[in-house]
Amino acid sequence: MTVVETTYGPVRGCQDGSVKVWKGIRFAAAPVGDLRFRAPEPPERSAEVVDATEFGPACPQAVVPRMPLELGAPLGEDCLRLNVWAPAGVEPGAGKPVMVWLHGGAYVLGSASQPLYDARALVSNGDVIVVTLNYRIGALGFLDLSSFSTWQRPFDSNIGLRDVLAGLAWVRDNIAAFGGNPANVTVFGESAGAGLVTTLLACPAAEGLFVRAIAQSSPATSVYDRDRGRRVTLAVLDKLGIGAAEARKVAEVPTAALVAATNEVFNEVPVSNPGTLAFVPIVDGDLLHGQPVKLAQEGRLLPIPLIIGTNKHEAALFRLMRSPLMPITPNAITSMFDQIGAEQPDLQLPSVQEIGSAYSGRQKSRTVSMATDIGFRLPSVWLADGHSAVAPVYMYRFDYATPLFKLLLVGAAHATELPYVWGNLGGPHDVTLKLGGAKTAMAVSARMQTRWINFAVHGEPEGPPGEPRWPRYAAADRACLVIDKRDTIKHDVDARIRGAWGDEMVSFR
């Protein structure tokens, strides 16, 4: 049965071997015209059966020459669509666990239709329902125009975050008809998608929309105040030749011009402010009342079980791409510290030299490791430290690298765990196995999928038979699953970096 009745009308998917798929389902009205830069609105109900066999548009975005993405769909602002993958034999009301995926891409790139996120393997292996959803990115989703709002032309804050909430609400209201259990939803994501996951934990409006969370390489501290958001907005308006008094005109800017301005500001911000992203969620006093890591340390996140972790060599990807997104040079690291000290003079920060002494190897290697830790590892550790007092937390570190990634000197770099989680190693868009290593890699993938799925099913990230039990993270022993050729449990693997950086950095951005 591939025709399913939703709250907005019937949709027709297709059966593809062992799975059924519905693509491009509209979960919100097209965010164009008066709805541009506004919170998502419900779509109109269709009396006719809507074809759901092709992906809907991906949110407009620039092409990054050094990292071209296969988005799996054309670009278009009518992008608030989601995709549902279910085992072929599942019927409505079956009550299967649901996993909802939030894609990464630094809040300016990516889509739910990327071939990497084809859920056939995850669904076939795990007897779960998988949903992948789009949210608005770049200026369309994370330009904070709310301070320029007027009764004539209102603007909303945190638009991309509101899109995710709308998508999760659609899942709550409709997933039972696809065979899923709306009371057993796990939200998972990587990079910016993981940043949205950790931000959702700090969002009261997300309560009741999911019961478990997985954050892979979350930039959890990249949630800024409204002043910083306004400065980015003014920079975008300047690129568009629009004065602050005429900010309403941005709603009428052609898509291509808005994408170009987004790309310029996105590239400029981390050059002038190392360690800073241009487009991120904002503490707006409405959806968000505080920085997620600080709220975690105060025990104020939603008490939801969490898997959180990072890859061992996160920043090596940005070094390979020669990307300014992370401070991977000594000058950038020093500049970042100088700016933090100027912005928050009361912070008792260690010096760059003091922190650097905790790292071994050559200078370039040390700075890449420092960038990994400040961008991803430490925010994850800080958040886990606090959240583990109110909910079960499971910490991991992904260390495995195939021969190709070792040759490229990137190791377990940012995003390299993705084909393992999705079970799509060696596919047409994956280079991971180009120099071999398939047998070991497939075994790593099988273990990761088993743990992720078991967590989604019943809250315990058990591995296959014979694999070590993954204990909860707690201040007493700081257990961490290290994923390599074999899974091992280590304790306080981050002691060195925690001691070097200190807890004062929690509120650094």
PDB file of all heavy atoms in Angstrom, residues 259-271:
ATOM      1  N   VAL A 259      21.333  34.455  -2.472  1.00  0.00           N
ATOM      2  CA  VAL A 259      22.305  33.370  -2.309  1.00  0.00           C
ATOM      3  C   VAL A 259      23.726  33.902  -2.446  1.00  0.00           C
ATOM      4  O   VAL A 259      24.627  33.532  -1.677  1.00  0.00           O
ATOM      5  CB  VAL A 259      22.038  32.245  -3.324  1.00  0.00           C
ATOM      6  CG1 VAL A 259      23.202  31.252  -3.359  1.00  0.00           C
ATOM      7  CG2 VAL A 259      20.738  31.520  -2.985  1.00  0.00           C
ATOM      8  N   ALA A 260      23.952  34.793  -3.401  1.00  0.00           N
ATOM      9  CA  ALA A 260      25.289  35.367  -3.596  1.00  0.00           C
ATOM     10  C   ALA A 260      25.712  36.172  -2.365  1.00  0.00           C
ATOM     11  O   ALA A 260      26.869  36.069  -1.914  1.00  0.00           O
ATOM     12  CB  ALA A 260      25.304  36.254  -4.834  1.00  0.00           C
ATOM     13  N   ALA A 261      24.810  36.979  -1.804  1.00  0.00           N
ATOM     14  CA  ALA A 261      25.130  37.755  -0.609  1.00  0.00           C
ATOM     15  C   ALA A 261      25.386  36.838   0.575  1.00  0.00           C
ATOM     16  O   ALA A 261      26.303  37.072   1.381  1.00  0.00           O
ATOM     17  CB  ALA A 261      23.984  38.719  -0.293  1.00  0.00           C
ATOM     18  N   THR A 262      24.585  35.786   0.695  1.00  0.00           N
ATOM     19  CA  THR A 262      24.796  34.786   1.750  1.00  0.00           C
ATOM     20  C   THR A 262      26.203  34.215   1.662  1.00  0.00           C
ATOM     21  O   THR A 262      26.923  34.115   2.663  1.00  0.00           O
ATOM     22  CB  THR A 262      23.773  33.638   1.617  1.00  0.00           C
ATOM     23  OG1 THR A 262      22.464  34.134   1.871  1.00  0.00           O
ATOM     24  CG2 THR A 262      24.076  32.521   2.606  1.00  0.00           C
ATOM     25  N   ASN A 263      26.601  33.835   0.466  1.00  0.00           N
ATOM     26  CA  ASN A 263      27.902  33.199   0.271  1.00  0.00           C
ATOM     27  C   ASN A 263      29.044  34.150   0.603  1.00  0.00           C
ATOM     28  O   ASN A 263      30.039  33.756   1.236  1.00  0.00           O
ATOM     29  CB  ASN A 263      28.021  32.710  -1.169  1.00  0.00           C
ATOM     30  CG  ASN A 263      29.197  31.782  -1.375  1.00  0.00           C
ATOM     31  OD1 ASN A 263      29.411  30.866  -0.600  1.00  0.00           O
ATOM     32  ND2 ASN A 263      29.959  32.015  -2.432  1.00  0.00           N
ATOM     33  N   GLU A 264      28.918  35.414   0.195  1.00  0.00           N
ATOM     34  CA  GLU A 264      29.968  36.385   0.497  1.00  0.00           C
ATOM     35  C   GLU A 264      30.142  36.577   2.001  1.00  0.00           C
ATOM     36  O   GLU A 264      31.260  36.547   2.531  1.00  0.00           O
ATOM     37  CB  GLU A 264      29.643  37.728  -0.166  1.00  0.00           C
ATOM     38  CG  GLU A 264      29.845  37.771  -1.670  1.00  0.00           C
ATOM     39  CD  GLU A 264      29.634  39.171  -2.219  1.00  0.00           C
ATOM     40  OE1 GLU A 264      30.349  40.084  -1.769  1.00  0.00           O
ATOM     41  OE2 GLU A 264      28.748  39.348  -3.081  1.00  0.00           O
ATOM     42  N   VAL A 265      29.032  36.772   2.700  1.00  0.00           N
ATOM     43  CA  VAL A 265      29.107  37.002   4.149  1.00  0.00           C
ATOM     44  C   VAL A 265      29.569  35.741   4.864  1.00  0.00           C
ATOM     45  O   VAL A 265      30.378  35.799   5.796  1.00  0.00           O
ATOM     46  CB  VAL A 265      27.748  37.482   4.683  1.00  0.00           C
ATOM     47  CG1 VAL A 265      27.763  37.571   6.210  1.00  0.00           C
ATOM     48  CG2 VAL A 265      27.381  38.833   4.075  1.00  0.00           C
ATOM     49  N   PHE A 266      29.094  34.601   4.406  1.00  0.00           N
ATOM     50  CA  PHE A 266      29.510  33.324   4.996  1.00  0.00           C
ATOM     51  C   PHE A 266      31.022  33.144   4.918  1.00  0.00           C
ATOM     52  O   PHE A 266      31.656  32.663   5.862  1.00  0.00           O
ATOM     53  CB  PHE A 266      28.802  32.181   4.261  1.00  0.00           C
ATOM     54  CG  PHE A 266      29.249  30.801   4.663  1.00  0.00           C
ATOM     55  CD1 PHE A 266      28.855  30.251   5.869  1.00  0.00           C
ATOM     56  CD2 PHE A 266      30.063  30.054   3.824  1.00  0.00           C
ATOM     57  CE1 PHE A 266      29.263  28.976   6.247  1.00  0.00           C
ATOM     58  CE2 PHE A 266      30.480  28.781   4.182  1.00  0.00           C
ATOM     59  CZ  PHE A 266      30.073  28.238   5.397  1.00  0.00           C
ATOM     60  N   ASN A 267      31.619  33.531   3.800  1.00  0.00           N
ATOM     61  CA  ASN A 267      33.066  33.399   3.626  1.00  0.00           C
ATOM     62  C   ASN A 267      33.847  34.458   4.388  1.00  0.00           C
ATOM     63  O   ASN A 267      34.976  34.212   4.837  1.00  0.00           O
ATOM     64  CB  ASN A 267      33.424  33.473   2.139  1.00  0.00           C
ATOM     65  CG  ASN A 267      33.006  32.233   1.373  1.00  0.00           C
ATOM     66  OD1 ASN A 267      32.985  31.130   1.928  1.00  0.00           O
ATOM     67  ND2 ASN A 267      32.641  32.399   0.112  1.00  0.00           N
ATOM     68  N   GLU A 268      33.282  35.638   4.545  1.00  0.00           N
ATOM     69  CA  GLU A 268      34.002  36.745   5.190  1.00  0.00           C
ATOM     70  C   GLU A 268      34.011  36.647   6.706  1.00  0.00           C
ATOM     71  O   GLU A 268      35.012  36.992   7.356  1.00  0.00           O
ATOM     72  CB  GLU A 268      33.385  38.080   4.758  1.00  0.00           C
ATOM     73  CG  GLU A 268      33.654  38.434   3.300  1.00  0.00           C
ATOM     74  CD  GLU A 268      32.872  39.663   2.846  1.00  0.00           C
ATOM     75  OE1 GLU A 268      32.163  40.262   3.698  1.00  0.00           O
ATOM     76  OE2 GLU A 268      32.967  40.028   1.657  1.00  0.00           O
ATOM     77  N   VAL A 269      32.922  36.200   7.293  1.00  0.00           N
ATOM     78  CA  VAL A 269      32.805  36.222   8.756  1.00  0.00           C
ATOM     79  C   VAL A 269      33.910  35.430   9.458  1.00  0.00           C
ATOM     80  O   VAL A 269      34.559  35.941  10.375  1.00  0.00           O
ATOM     81  CB  VAL A 269      31.405  35.758   9.203  1.00  0.00           C
ATOM     82  CG1 VAL A 269      31.390  35.401  10.688  1.00  0.00           C
ATOM     83  CG2 VAL A 269      30.381  36.855   8.922  1.00  0.00           C
ATOM     84  N   PRO A 270      34.194  34.165   9.072  1.00  0.00           N
ATOM     85  CA  PRO A 270      35.239  33.440   9.791  1.00  0.00           C
ATOM     86  C   PRO A 270      36.651  33.956   9.534  1.00  0.00           C
ATOM     87  O   PRO A 270      37.573  33.635  10.292  1.00  0.00           O
ATOM     88  CB  PRO A 270      35.077  32.001   9.287  1.00  0.00           C
ATOM     89  CG  PRO A 270      34.413  32.130   7.974  1.00  0.00           C
ATOM     90  CD  PRO A 270      33.522  33.320   8.075  1.00  0.00           C
ATOM     91  N   VAL A 271      36.827  34.747   8.479  1.00  0.00           N
ATOM     92  CA  VAL A 271      38.142  35.355   8.243  1.00  0.00           C
ATOM     93  C   VAL A 271      38.381  36.487   9.234  1.00  0.00           C
ATOM     94  O   VAL A 271      39.446  36.599   9.840  1.00  0.00           O
ATOM     95  CB  VAL A 271      38.251  35.868   6.789  1.00  0.00           C
ATOM     96  CG1 VAL A 271      39.560  36.637   6.598  1.00  0.00           C
ATOM     97  CG2 VAL A 271      38.177  34.706   5.802  1.00  0.00           C
TER      98      VAL A 271
END
